[in-house]
């Protein structure tokens, strides 16, 4: 994959964050930054078409409305939920609030790359 992509990781679970960062670092055209909600809403350097990866721990800690807040402050970004098997009940609600898609654990690299390809192509998941 040769297209540039900027990722914001709102991932509270340290193991998941480490794993996703490891996957992203393999690709020289991917840039990743770990953030908290306030940083995204206050960041004037936000880039259009960035990808926000958010885990279930973040949704549980900040509430499902975090998705709406992120969609409001980052309308051109695509939100992707990294969902644990135990929290699959969150998927429907998060998608209703505007998430682009969801990847279920064990978060395989090919799944993440497939999602990124879809986002970068400008297509919507059906």
């Amino acid at each position: 994959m040769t297209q540039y992509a900027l990722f914001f990781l709102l991932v509270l679970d340290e193991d998941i964050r480490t794993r996703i960062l490891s996957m992203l670092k393999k690709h020289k055209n991917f840039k990743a930054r770990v953030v908290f909600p306030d940083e995204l809403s206050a960041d004037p350097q936000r880039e259009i078409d960035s990808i926000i990866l958010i885990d279930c721990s973040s949704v549980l800690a900040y509430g499902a409305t975090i998705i709406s807040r992120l969609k409001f402050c980052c309308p051109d970004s695509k939100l992707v939920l990294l969902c644990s098997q135990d929290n699959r009940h969150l998927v429907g609600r998060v998608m209703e609030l505007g998430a682009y898609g969801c990847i279920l654990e064990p978060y395989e690299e090919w799944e993440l790359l497939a999602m990124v390809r879809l986002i970068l192509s400008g297509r919507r998941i059906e």
Side-chain angles (χ1 to χ4, degrees):
M1 187 175 297
T2 58
Q3 203 168 2
Y4 173 81
L6 174 63
F7 295 85
F8 291 107
L9 275 71
L10 179 52
V11 179
L12 293 180
D13 185 298
E14 189 174 338
D15 291 335
I16 296 170
R17 186 174 56 243
T18 300
R19 183 162 183 205
I20 298 298
L21 283 170
S22 175
M23 286 181 205
L24 295 175
K25 286 180 182 177
K26 293 178 184 179
H27 302 274
K28 65 180 179 179
N29 293 326
F30 290 177
K31 181 179 174 187
R33 199 173 121 205
V34 176
V35 294
F36 291 95
D38 293 342
E39 292 175 86
L40 285 174
S41 59
D43 187 357
Q45 301 293 333
R46 258 192 339 261
E47 291 190 32
I48 293 176
D49 298 330
S50 59
I51 300 169
I52 300 171
L53 300 176
I54 184 168
D55 69 340
C56 289
S57 295
S58 296
V59 174
L60 292 170
Y62 299 113
T65 57
I66 186 66
I67 303 300
S68 300
R69 284 184 30 216
L70 292 173
K71 288 301 294 176
F72 177 77
C73 68
C74 310
D76 297 320
S77 296
K78 301 292 189 259
L79 278 82
V80 176
L81 176 66
L82 302 171
C83 190
S84 66
Q85 295 293 336
D86 293 338
N87 291 299
R88 292 177 68 142
H89 65 280
L90 294 174
V91 174
R93 180 73 177 132
V94 167
M95 295 299 290
E96 288 172 0
L97 292 171
Y100 177 86
C102 174
I103 300 173
L104 292 173
E105 69 181 349
Y107 316 117
E108 298 291 339
E109 186 171 351
W110 69 266
E111 288 179 290
L112 178 61
L113 294 177
M115 183 75 66
V116 171
R117 273 190 213 97
L118 274 172
I119 290 170
L120 296 179
S121 74
R123 294 189 320 215
R124 179 90 181 140
I125 296 175
E126 296 190 26

